[in-house]
Each structure stands twice: as C-alpha cells, then as structure tokens.
Amino acid sequence: SGCFRPRHRPFALIGARRDASAVAGPGSVGMAPEGRLRFEASREARDKADGILERMRAGQLVGELLPREYNCEGKFAGLSPVVIFSDFEPDDLMAIAQIWRWSAEQAGVADERPVKKPVIIMCADFKKKDGRSVFEKKLLLARLLLGLEPYRDFHVLTTADVQFHDGTTHPLGRGCFDQCDAAIGSAAAEIAELTAEGAEAAPRVDVYILAPGHGHLDA
C-alpha cells in the first residue's frame, strides 16, 4: 500500500533464517518448532541503520537519508475515507499497510496510481516507550514499510512530558510537542474534508484506534 514497489532491494536491512539448533529432534520430522524463526541483520546493515538513526536524531529528514527510489513526495492523490490512530509499533505499521490495501480493494481502486492515503495519526510516548532511539526507528520503519514521511504524510502527537523514564530527554521530543496543536488542526481538517458535503470520498469514514489515546482523542 506504499507508494513504491522497488524491483530491487537496495536497502535490505534484514534477512530471515531458521535457527539450526531448533531443526530436527525427537518426533519433529525435521520441522522447526514454532517461535524459532529469527531475523538477523548483517553488521554492515546494522551500521547503515545506526548511521541513519543518528542523523535523524540530529533532525535530518528520513527521506533525505534513503535511496532516491524511496522518495514518495507527490505520489499520493488525495485522501481515502480511513482514519488510523496508532503508536507505530511494528505490528501496527503492518496492520496499517493491510488496512490501507484492504480499504483500497473494497473501493475498487487498489491498482490505481497515484494512490489515495488514509488520514494517519501517530501518538508518540517519549516518557515510557519512545525514548533513546525508539522514536527514530519507528519513523524509519514507517518510511520503509509505508512510504510515509513524518510530519508531511502523517501527523505526530505527543504529550508535554518528553523525559524518558531513565532520565534522558529525547532531542526531538520538544519540537514534536511544539507542533502538536498544528498537527491536531491539520488532522481535523483532513477528517472534515472526508466528511464535507460533496466530498469525493465515500460518505462512511472508517476509524481505527490501534493504540491508547493519551488524551489526544478528546482533542
């Protein structure tokens, strides 16, 4: 459901393999027991990812750090009648991809290009979950899995408390909080666009809440 389908894998970070120690055993008939599939990144891939995360932490845009074929600017054509609120955990990002694709299939526009984008809202929790480099990792995953650039293609909300439980303060936390009012206003405007009289989108708007609201849903 992202904006691109690269023919090659110029930025492959991980590979899958079965744990050899889990294969075969009494009565196993050579099958790996459930839960032994592991994803491992090479040292080169980890170093590349760490370098990207470090530059993101310094404030550089995600899209500027990836190969050109991952640039999705201008490749979305309006909004689909779907609103998704998430904390961007990896399972949520995969769910967003599935919801996005499924809603496009239901509307009969799955193969149209450029694609329409749901209204997507990320709720960051710098106090309990998104400290250290977790926030940047989520933004990078969203870019790779969904083709979305933070603050441009989805809205990011957080609370005023941006100090992690270990006492560290995320360098991007304060800036994220400072733009929250504007982000809420932009998200509200997009939702209003979907429900406006004469809107191209279907009258029904599907809303998916995939994470705790942290007080933002009232806004």
Side-chain angles (χ1 to χ4, degrees):
S1 60
C3 72
F4 55 84
R5 292 181 180 178
R7 297 177 182 176
H8 308 291
R9 299 183 63 198
F11 197 73
L13 291 180
I14 59 175
R17 72 174 180 85
R18 286 193 299 177
D19 186 348
S21 65
V23 180
S28 66
V29 197
M31 298 298 292
E34 184 179 356
R36 294 299 185 94
L37 178 67
R38 301 193 304 176
F39 291 87
E40 292 188 1
S42 68
R43 170 56 63 182
E44 179 184 3
R46 289 198 298 268
D47 289 344
K48 182 182 291 186
D50 287 343
I52 290 174
L53 295 172
E54 184 177 348
R55 293 165 72 181
M56 289 173 61
R57 194 174 180 85
Q60 194 164 353
L61 297 177
V62 187
E64 296 175 351
L65 302 172
L66 299 179
R68 180 173 297 180
E69 54 263 49
Y70 287 84
N71 182 12
C72 298
E73 187 172 3
K75 294 187 179 180
F76 297 118
L79 299 170
S80 62
V82 177
V83 179
I84 303 174
F85 183 93
S86 165
D87 58 7
F88 275 40
E89 291 292 328
D91 59 330
D92 278 17
L93 291 173
M94 289 184 279
I96 291 170
Q98 292 172 317
I99 292 169
W100 190 346
R101 176 70 183 184
W102 180 82
S103 64
E105 289 175 350
Q106 296 304 300
V109 296
D111 295 322
E112 290 186 6
R113 295 294 182 272
V115 299
K116 293 189 175 183
K117 178 181 67 66
V119 178
I120 300 176
I121 304 166
M122 175 190 185
C123 177
D125 182 359
F126 290 104
K127 182 178 181 180
K128 294 182 179 180
K129 298 179 66 175
D130 297 324
R132 298 185 178 178
S133 63
V134 173
F135 180 64
E136 300 94 291
K137 289 174 181 176
K138 289 181 176 181
L139 299 185
L140 179 57
L141 277 174
R143 199 63 164 77
L144 294 173
L145 286 173
L146 303 172
L148 301 176
E149 182 72 25
Y151 304 106
R152 186 190 72 195
D153 299 322
F154 62 90
H155 313 283
V156 186
L157 308 180
T158 193
T159 62
D161 191 351
V162 295
Q163 186 177 69
F164 199 40
H165 58 70
D166 65 358
T168 59
T169 299
H170 199 290
L172 302 179
R174 179 53 57 181
C176 182
F177 174 72
D178 289 344
Q179 59 81 56
C180 269
D181 287 344
I184 291 172
S186 296
E190 288 185 348
I191 295 170
E193 180 182 336
L194 293 175
T195 58
E197 184 176 354
E200 182 182 349
R204 188 184 80 175
V205 176
D206 294 326
V207 179
Y208 297 86
I209 308 298
L210 307 182
H214 294 289
H216 297 301
L217 296 178
D218 290 339

